[in-house]
Amino acid sequence: MAKRKQITDNSSSGLKPKKQKKDVILQPVVQSDAPVERQTKWKNKQRVLVFSSRGISFRTRHLMNDLRTMMPHSKAEPKMDRKDKLFIINEICEMKNCNKCLYFEGKKKQDVYLWASNVPKGPSAKFLVENIHTMSELKLTGNCLKGSRPLLSFDKAFNSEPHWMLLKELFVQIFGTPNHHPKSQPFIDHVFSFSIQDNRIWFRNYQILAEDGSLAEIGPRFVLNPIRIFASSFGGATLYQNPYYVSPNEFRRTLRQQKADKYNQRQEAKVSQELRRPEITYNMDPTDEVFNTITESDFKK
C-alpha cells in the first residue's frame, strides 16, 4: 500500500516559516532625489555575443562598438580568424554563456556580412550590411543615457510574410534589453526602428525628446539586405533565399561591364565613321585652270 504523507505544522514544532520573495512595485510618482528601487531578480536571461572576423574596415569596427554600447546585455570577444569554420561560434557562445550572436564577417576589406543567430538550435540569418553610418558622425545630434532600455518599433510589412515574421522575432530577442537587467537603466529614452523598403531592412535609432513624441536621430544607421535564413545556427537547411539579392562582386562586375560597353561603342563609332568617309570629297573640273593668269611671282615659285 502507498504511504500517506504526514502534514506537519511548523507553528507547533517551533520552526519558522520560509519567507517568500515579493516583487518590487515601483511607485507611479518618484522624486528625483529618492533612490530608485530595483528588482534584483531578472527572468529574461538573453545575452548577445557581438564580435567580428579579421579583415573588417574601421567603419564596421565602429558600428560593432556602437551596438555593444546600445545593448547592455551584450558581451565582447576577440576577432575570429577567417580560416575557422562558422560552427565554432556555437562553442564560443557556450563558453561565454550567450544564447544569441551578432557576427560581422568582412570580405575583400570592403564587403560586410552580418550573421544573426539563435544559439545553438537556430534559426540564423545572413545579411549584407550597406550604407553604414556610426554614432560618431556629426550629423547625428541625438543623445541618450548609456544602458537605458529601448522601444522596438517594427513596420507593418513584418507581419505580411513568414520570413519577415521570423526575422522580427529574432530581432526582438536580440535587440530587446531584458527587464531588470543588472547593467540596464530603469527607464526608456530611445527607440529602435526597423522598417522594410526595397526588400531591405532599414535600422534607425532615435532619442525621445519630449512626451509629445518628438524624436532626434542618434545613430548608428545601416541597411540589412537579407541573403538567406537557415534552420540551424550558422548553417543547416535553407528556409528562405532572397530572389532579389545581387552579390557585391556581381554588382561591381556589372558596373565594369557598363564602362567597357561605353568604350567599345565609342571605338565602333570611330571605325564606322572612317569607313563612311569618302576618299574624294568632291570632283573638280580640270578645265577651270585654263583661264587662270600666271603672274611673275607665280613663275618664280
Side-chain angles (χ1 to χ4, degrees):
M1 297 180 64
K3 295 182 180 180
R4 296 182 180 180
K5 294 182 180 180
Q6 296 180 357
I7 302 174
T8 59
D9 189 5
N10 293 331
S11 59
S12 60
S13 61
L15 298 176
K16 295 182 180 180
K18 294 183 179 180
K19 295 182 180 180
Q20 296 180 355
K21 295 182 179 180
K22 297 182 180 180
D23 297 342
V24 177
I25 300 176
L26 300 179
Q27 299 296 330
V29 178
V30 181
Q31 297 181 1
S32 58
D33 298 335
V36 180
E37 295 183 2
R38 297 291 305 277
Q39 183 174 352
T40 57
K41 186 178 180 180
W42 52 293
K43 299 179 181 179
N44 187 4
K45 300 294 183 179
Q46 299 290 341
R47 299 182 182 89
V48 184
L49 181 64
V50 182
F51 72 117
S52 67
S53 65
R54 298 189 182 274
I56 61 174
S57 61
F58 71 96
R59 187 177 292 273
T60 309
R61 186 176 68 254
H62 284 285
L63 173 63
M64 182 179 61
N65 293 331
D66 291 343
L67 291 178
R68 290 175 181 172
T69 304
M70 292 188 306
M71 298 188 298
H73 60 293
S74 63
K75 290 188 177 182
E77 175 71 13
K79 295 180 180 179
M80 192 178 74
D81 195 355
R82 288 180 294 180
K83 296 181 181 179
D84 295 337
K85 301 297 181 180
L86 291 178
F87 63 84
I88 300 179
I89 301 177
N90 297 327
E91 300 178 0
I92 298 175
C93 293
E94 185 178 358
M95 290 187 296
K96 286 288 185 177
N97 196 17
C98 295
N99 54 359
K100 299 292 185 296
C101 181
L102 289 177
Y103 174 67
F104 290 89
E105 185 180 7
K107 292 185 178 180
K108 295 187 176 181
K109 296 184 179 180
Q110 54 184 346
D111 301 331
V112 183
Y113 297 90
L114 174 63
W115 284 84
S117 176
N118 180 24
V119 180
K121 296 183 179 180
S124 60
K126 185 179 181 180
F127 305 93
L128 174 66
V129 187
E130 303 172 344
N131 301 332
I132 299 175
H133 298 276
T134 60
M135 279 185 180
S136 58
E137 298 185 10
L138 298 178
K139 60 183 177 180
L140 303 176
T141 58
N143 189 13
C144 69
L145 186 65
K146 182 178 180 181
S148 59
R149 301 179 63 223
L151 287 175
L152 301 182
S153 175
F154 289 92
D155 192 2
K156 292 183 179 179
F158 277 97
N159 298 326
S160 59
E161 297 184 14
H163 63 279
W164 294 125
M165 297 173 65
L166 179 61
L167 292 178
K168 176 183 177 181
E169 182 62 27
L170 187 62
F171 289 154
V172 166
Q173 296 182 15
I174 291 177
F175 290 95
T177 303
N179 193 14
H180 304 298
H181 191 276
K183 294 183 180 180
S184 64
Q185 299 294 334
F187 52 83
I188 296 172
D189 62 349
H190 64 289
V191 181
F192 288 168
S193 173
F194 298 89
S195 57
I196 297 176
Q197 184 68 27
D198 194 19
N199 294 315
R200 291 172 172 84
I201 300 174
W202 299 66
F203 176 85
R204 296 292 185 269
N205 183 19
Y206 298 100
Q207 177 194 2
I208 303 175
L209 296 178
E211 295 180 358
D212 57 353
S214 58
L215 302 175
E217 188 171 359
I218 304 174
R221 57 162 68 170
F222 53 89
V223 180
L224 298 177
N225 189 1
I227 302 175
R228 283 191 182 188
I229 300 176
F230 299 94
S232 301
S233 179
F234 296 97
T238 301
L239 300 179
Y240 170 77
Q241 183 175 0
N242 188 5
Y244 306 101
Y245 171 72
V246 179
S247 65
N249 294 331
E250 187 68 22
F251 180 71
R252 287 190 289 266
R253 178 181 175 277
T254 304
L255 293 180
R256 291 194 298 267
Q257 189 65 34
Q258 291 177 357
K259 293 181 180 179
D261 292 341
K262 291 182 180 179
Y263 175 77
N264 294 334
Q265 291 175 3
R266 289 198 300 268
Q267 295 301 319
E268 291 177 358
K270 290 181 180 180
V271 172
S272 62
Q273 185 180 7
E274 293 293 334
L275 294 176
R276 289 184 284 105
R277 181 180 296 171
E279 297 179 358
I280 301 175
T281 57
Y282 58 93
N283 295 327
M284 299 178 62
D285 189 359
T287 59
D288 292 341
E289 299 179 357
V290 176
F291 300 99
N292 290 342
T293 304
I294 301 174
T295 59
E296 185 178 357
S297 60
D298 296 334
F299 181 74
K300 289 180 181 181
K301 292 180 181 179

